[in-house]
């Protein structure tokens, strides 16, 4: 996207657009905040684990609809009203856990980091399949015999056992990015639960 492209779509000069947004960065920030505003409200009354699961699944859905969001550098995100409202809602979910405000913020950050990683992995899997024409299951079936033949069983016993486990696993499930997302989310939430219990 560019300011020039937006101006062409609107049938106005680029300078007309610049009277509303001073730069492409601000335009993208507004787009990001608008997309965050598409998120559904988290229902009151859910316990923290269920509410964070809903929040994470909602973020997954948003990124599937708007994959460009994953390309934004969000260490210092645009602090628009929708993003601030979403962060307030996320922090509210952790009320009653006994965590202090900084720890709540760090917990939300850990969840966000996991989500970004899972979303990028899912996008990469789709792209690899599109480019190669092979599913992950087909790719593994081709690569595994050659890899196994090269692995010294004395040096790499665990990797060899993993290959054997993959041979008998439900590969369609284990390689599915959504299944992996759910598994990872459960592990992250278990860690948060342990942190809450320890505090």
């Amino acid at each position: 996207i560019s300011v020039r492209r937006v101006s062409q779509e609107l049938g106005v000069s680029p300078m007309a657009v610049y009277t509303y947004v001073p730069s492409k960065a601000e335009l993208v920030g507004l787009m990001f905040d608008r997309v965050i505003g598409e998120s559904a409200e988290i229902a009151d009354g859910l316990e923290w684990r269920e509410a964070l699961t809903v929040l994470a699944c909602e973020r997954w859905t948003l990124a599937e609809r708007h994959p460009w969001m994953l390309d934004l550098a969000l260490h210092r995100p645009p602090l628009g009203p929708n993003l601030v409202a979403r962060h307030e809602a996320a922090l509210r979910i952790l009320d009653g856990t006994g965590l202090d405000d900084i720890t709540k913020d760090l917990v939300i950050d850990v969840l966000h980091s996991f989500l970004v990683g899972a979303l990028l992995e899912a996008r990469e899997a789709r792209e690899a399949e599109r480019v190669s024409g092979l599913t992950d299951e087909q790719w593994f079936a081709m690569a595994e015999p050659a890899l196994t033949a090269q692995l010294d069983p004395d040096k790499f016993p665990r990797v060899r056992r993993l290959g054997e486990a993959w041979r008998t696993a439900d590969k369609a499930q284990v390689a599915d990015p959504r299944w992996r997302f759910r598994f990872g989310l459960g592990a992250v939430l278990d860690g948060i639960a342990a942190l809450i219990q320890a505090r």
Side-chain angles (χ1 to χ4, degrees):
I1 191 167
S2 67
V3 171
R4 181 172 300 282
R5 172 113 184 261
V6 170
S7 67
Q8 288 171 345
E9 290 288 325
L10 295 173
V12 298
S13 73
M15 291 313 295
V17 175
Y18 281 123
T19 63
Y20 293 95
V21 286
S23 68
K24 177 184 171 180
E26 187 154 310
L27 174 63
V28 171
L30 290 169
M31 290 167 52
F32 175 78
D33 196 66
R34 172 78 181 249
V35 167
I36 292 296
E38 294 176 11
S39 302
E41 290 296 319
I42 306 298
D44 288 333
L46 300 178
E47 60 93 25
W48 71 264
R49 187 179 182 115
E50 187 179 1
L52 286 183
T53 299
V54 170
L55 185 82
C57 291
E58 181 71 21
R59 180 70 165 85
W60 178 279
T61 301
L62 274 183
E64 293 257 301
R65 262 198 325 261
H66 304 284
W68 57 268
M69 291 174 61
L70 297 173
D71 296 323
L72 301 180
L74 293 177
H75 178 68
R76 294 180 181 168
L79 300 177
N82 291 321
L83 180 64
V84 173
R86 291 305 290 171
H87 201 63
E88 175 71 22
L91 292 168
R92 186 175 59 244
I93 287 169
L94 295 170
D95 284 349
T97 60
L99 300 178
D100 63 76
D101 291 332
I102 294 294
T103 305
K104 287 179 188 177
D105 190 51
L106 291 171
V107 163
I108 297 303
D109 193 46
V110 166
L111 182 62
H112 173 76
S113 295
F114 162 73
L115 280 167
V116 170
L119 286 161
L120 286 170
E121 182 180 341
R123 186 173 76 175
E124 188 176 307
R126 284 192 304 271
E127 184 63 12
E129 185 172 333
R130 186 189 69 73
V131 169
S132 70
L134 299 171
T135 65
D136 284 348
E137 187 175 352
Q138 292 166 329
W139 176 85
F140 179 77
M142 286 176 45
E144 192 266 339
L147 176 62
T148 302
Q150 299 298 318
L151 291 177
D152 179 341
D154 295 328
K155 287 176 71 175
F156 303 105
R158 291 163 193 82
V159 175
R160 287 181 64 94
R161 279 199 319 265
L162 178 60
E164 291 164 12
W166 266 96
R167 247 183 265 120
T168 60
D170 179 353
K171 288 177 267 312
Q173 178 188 46
V174 178
D176 176 48
R178 284 183 180 274
W179 186 89
R180 295 174 73 86
F181 162 68
R182 287 287 189 167
F183 176 85
L185 179 59
V188 170
L189 293 175
D190 286 348
I192 294 169
L195 174 68
I196 291 169
Q197 185 66 33
R199 295 292 170 95

